[in-house]
Amino acid sequence: MQGNQSAKIDVIRRQLSACGQDHLLSFWDRLGPGEQAGLAEQIRELDLDKIPTWVETLVRHAPQTPVRHEEFRPAPSYGIVPRTDAERRKYADAVKLGKELIAAGKVAAFVVAGGQGTRLGFDGPKGNYPISPVRNKTLFQIFAETIKAVSRRYRTTCPWYIMTSPMNHEATVRIFESNDFYGLDRDCVLIFQQGTLPNFGFDGRILMADKASIARSPDGHGGSIRALARSGALADMKNRGVEYLSYWQVDNPLVKLFDPLFVGLHATDGAQMSSKAVIKNDPKEKVGNFCLVDGKVTVIEYSDLDDSLAERRNPDGSLTFRLGSIAIHIISTDFIEKLNTEGFSLPLHRAVKKIPHIDSQGNPVEPAQPNGIKLESFIFDALPIANRSIILDIDRAEEFAPTKNATGVDSAESTRAMMVDRAARWLESAGVTVPRRPDGSPDCLLEIAPSFALEPEDLKVKLDQIPAIQPGGQVYLG
Ligand code: UTP
């Protein structure tokens, strides 16, 4: 038995040594049997064949791929309001179709929640962050309540797929269990894990988190394509007859899930993966840019959009490259299936990070400066692979509040303010008076639960349930 084990480890050692990573076994002889089994499993999960290429092309140096600026064209989009009679008819038909698809259970919610949320600095899965302005509901609770309200409206049960990572999976499952799945049908909530990728030192050697484990991180939101298939989520979707995924990121509580117009336009145009966009606030806003490259919708990172292109303007003064990516998509399940049957993987990107690890003596190192590379893939890299891809540009104030940081720009603070602003606009559009300060901001805290209203029109039939809002007061509508 023992001989068998040592033969196995010799094979692993040779494989590691062939790709310059045999230091992963430096402490092997000092590990207990359980730790050895764990480490051997982690090594088995590494894509050893690919590691030398990653080290050469991504880790030791930043990739040298030239950016093809001259080939970028602005991507076309649908506006949130139709511009012509033909568009008006198309939008009306799309909304009708979108509603039919939702009611028929063909649309599922899909949130990616496997990130590490380091910028927010919150202990635990980001989805458990309390965000709502009056009741302090968590992100997960807001989404769950929205899914419940949509299901009720369409007399259906909308399934919800949640991607976690090995770093937060158990904690996420515990949160859902201890909240009784927020009143959702447990069978319709599927929580599954994405994969991980090893972290590297600048010298190309994989870092060890401790003597028995490799330093790893989730493989990016692009990892969802593979994880959906590997985890069985895709098969589950097929069983349920789900054909479209309404994809969003866990840190955006304003997201409009199951948007009939968006779903309907995607389906009418026969798109495989579609996106919502916002009009950029300024030429160099730090969002990905929707461009056409070789005729395909492609997201170009802000750092890769040449200043001359970023600043270019149309005759009417608007930015030529004006569509910013906000990570809200509709993805057809047959597209995900197709990607997975072709042995495909999305390109990897490098991020220079501070990565805690142990040194060659086994002593823990907490780096004060970036010391290594994390690799990840991005979901938007699937866009140019889609046969067809449409973009709907929407009103940022209505649908996009990214909660990335604890304070300042894109923070919990700014998200709460946007939630109050949106509630104030919805109430005013229904004829309710909202006290405002001299600078125009609402002089009150407001929160509208999804069960009360999913859109402004829902408020108009509930005016008798809305109390007068006092200056400095707070109102929860639920
Ligand atoms: P971010 O790029 O904001 O990363 O993820 P993050 O990990 O949440 O936060 P920082 O950068 O450490 O502060 C955008 C969305 O993609 C998900 C996140 O959970 C979030 O919903 N994501 C990111 C994954 O699901 N997996 C990943 O590997 C990375």
Side-chain angles (χ1 to χ4, degrees):
M1 187 69 184
Q2 199 120 56
N4 199 357
Q5 286 296 7
S6 79
K8 269 195 202 154
I9 197 61
D10 284 346
V11 173
I12 296 178
R13 200 182 295 279
R14 272 198 300 279
Q15 288 169 336
L16 286 174
S17 153
C19 57
Q21 304 291 348
D22 48 336
H23 62 284
L24 299 185
L25 295 176
S26 301
F27 303 100
W28 182 262
D29 296 334
R30 289 184 243 166
L31 303 180
E35 291 174 315
Q36 287 185 339
L39 181 56
E41 180 57 28
Q42 290 171 46
I43 294 171
R44 244 191 310 280
E45 284 169 9
L46 295 174
D47 245 332
L48 287 179
D49 294 348
K50 295 190 178 146
I51 283 176
T53 313
W54 293 345
V55 167
E56 270 325 298
T57 57
L58 289 160
V59 176
R60 287 223 179 97
H61 334 270
Q64 297 302 315
T65 347
V67 181
R68 300 152 60 198
H69 304 285
E70 66 290 349
E71 290 167 36
F72 297 168
R73 302 279 173 271
S77 66
Y78 287 104
I80 190 67
V81 179
R83 289 163 277 214
T84 60
D85 280 346
E87 264 195 1
R88 257 183 290 284
R89 281 193 297 277
K90 182 167 188 176
Y91 278 38
D93 290 346
V95 168
K96 184 167 172 285
L97 175 63
K99 287 181 174 173
E100 284 165 8
L101 292 169
I102 297 166
K106 292 188 185 299
V107 188
F110 175 35
V111 65
V112 286
Q116 295 180 295
T118 35
R119 284 169 288 171
L120 189 59
F122 174 61
D123 191 17
K126 212 186 208 184
N128 205 33
Y129 192 88
I131 194 71
S132 77
V134 176
R135 289 286 171 93
N136 240 0
K137 288 180 190 171
T138 65
L139 290 154
F140 281 144
Q141 180 165 359
I142 294 169
F143 302 139
E145 289 184 11
T146 306
I147 291 166
K148 207 168 163 190
V150 173
S151 299
R152 195 174 313 123
R153 172 152 308 173
Y154 289 92
R155 296 194 179 84
T156 185
T157 308
C158 302
W160 185 12
Y161 297 86
I162 301 166
M163 185 176 83
T164 61
S165 66
M167 288 76 197
N168 68 10
H169 182 76
E170 277 170 29
T172 304
V173 171
R174 265 200 310 278
I175 289 162
F176 273 78
E177 283 174 346
S178 61
N179 286 286
D180 200 17
F181 283 65
Y182 305 99
L184 293 169
D185 179 349
R186 277 174 183 236
D187 291 340
C188 295
V189 181
L190 203 133
I191 309 178
F192 67 95
Q193 297 187 58
Q194 65 180 114
T196 61
L197 286 168
N199 299 158
F200 295 84
F202 292 129
D203 60 0
R205 282 153 62 95
I206 293 173
L207 296 170
M208 294 293 288
D210 56 48
K211 291 175 185 164
S213 42
I214 293 171
R216 298 177 299 164
S217 46
D219 58 0
H221 35 68
S224 57
I225 301 277
R226 191 190 279 195
L228 281 165
R230 285 201 176 171
S231 65
L234 190 57
D236 183 83
M237 287 165 191
K238 290 198 76 130
N239 277 341
R240 291 176 199 264
V242 169
E243 292 177 16
Y244 306 97
L245 295 185
S246 176
Y247 169 108
W248 81 101
Q249 300 193 333
V250 73
D251 48 25
N252 178 16
L254 290 191
V255 65
K256 185 172 179 182
L257 300 177
F258 302 94
D259 178 352
L261 174 63
F262 190 30
V263 175
L265 287 173
H266 172 92
T268 308
D269 282 4
Q272 288 185 314
M273 178 166 170
S274 296
S275 313
K276 281 192 174 177
V278 292
I279 305 298
K280 289 193 303 178
N281 280 333
D282 68 80
K284 296 297 279 178
E285 185 179 349
K286 292 184 175 173
V287 287
N289 292 271
F290 285 110
C291 299
L292 285 185
V293 181
D294 298 331
K296 294 290 200 171
V297 171
T298 304
V299 171
I300 302 294
E301 290 188 71
Y302 65 90
S303 48
D304 285 339
L305 191 70
D306 196 60
D307 280 359
S308 68
L309 290 185
E311 307 277 355
R312 186 175 293 171
R313 298 209 174 246
N314 301 317
D316 66 0
S318 60
L319 290 172
T320 305
F321 292 91
R322 62 195 195 120
L323 299 174
S325 170
I326 51 172
I328 298 177
H329 303 284
I330 299 289
I331 313 177
S332 296
T333 47
D334 61 1
F335 180 53
I336 295 167
E337 198 172 12
K338 174 174 166 274
L339 292 179
N340 277 288
T341 48
E342 291 176 1
F344 141 99
S345 55
L346 289 171
L348 291 177
H349 300 257
R350 81 200 297 258
V352 177
K353 297 275 184 185
K354 286 187 237 170
I355 305 168
H357 63 107
I358 54 166
D359 64 17
S360 57
Q361 308 304 310
N363 302 311
V365 180
E366 271 298 333
Q369 298 301 327
N371 63 319
I373 302 288
K374 290 186 178 181
L375 299 177
E376 56 181 345
S377 62
F378 299 148
I379 190 73
F380 55 72
D381 280 328
L383 284 168
I385 305 166
N387 291 342
R388 189 155 162 68
S389 170
I390 60 137
I391 301 172
L392 176 63
D393 72 63
I394 51 100
D395 180 357
R396 169 194 307 250
E398 283 290 301
E399 301 190 36
F400 184 52
T403 316
K404 300 290 180 194
N405 308 301
T407 53
V409 178
D410 293 343
S411 65
E413 223 168 61
S414 61
T415 294
R416 277 190 202 104
M418 286 184 76
M419 294 174 85
V420 173
D421 281 343
R422 185 176 78 169
R425 275 195 312 277
W426 286 18
L427 285 161
E428 284 170 338
S429 77
V432 177
T433 304
V434 174
R436 288 189 178 267
R437 299 189 188 90
D439 67 1
S441 61
D443 183 14
C444 49
L445 282 186
L446 302 171
E447 181 175 333
I448 302 175
S451 57
F452 196 81
L454 285 166
E455 51 196 1
E457 286 65 40
D458 299 338
L459 295 173
K460 295 187 182 145
V461 294
K462 293 189 172 172
L463 290 175
D464 57 335
Q465 298 172 46
I466 303 173
I469 307 169
Q470 304 302 332
Q474 58 179 46
V475 169
Y476 171 77
L477 299 173

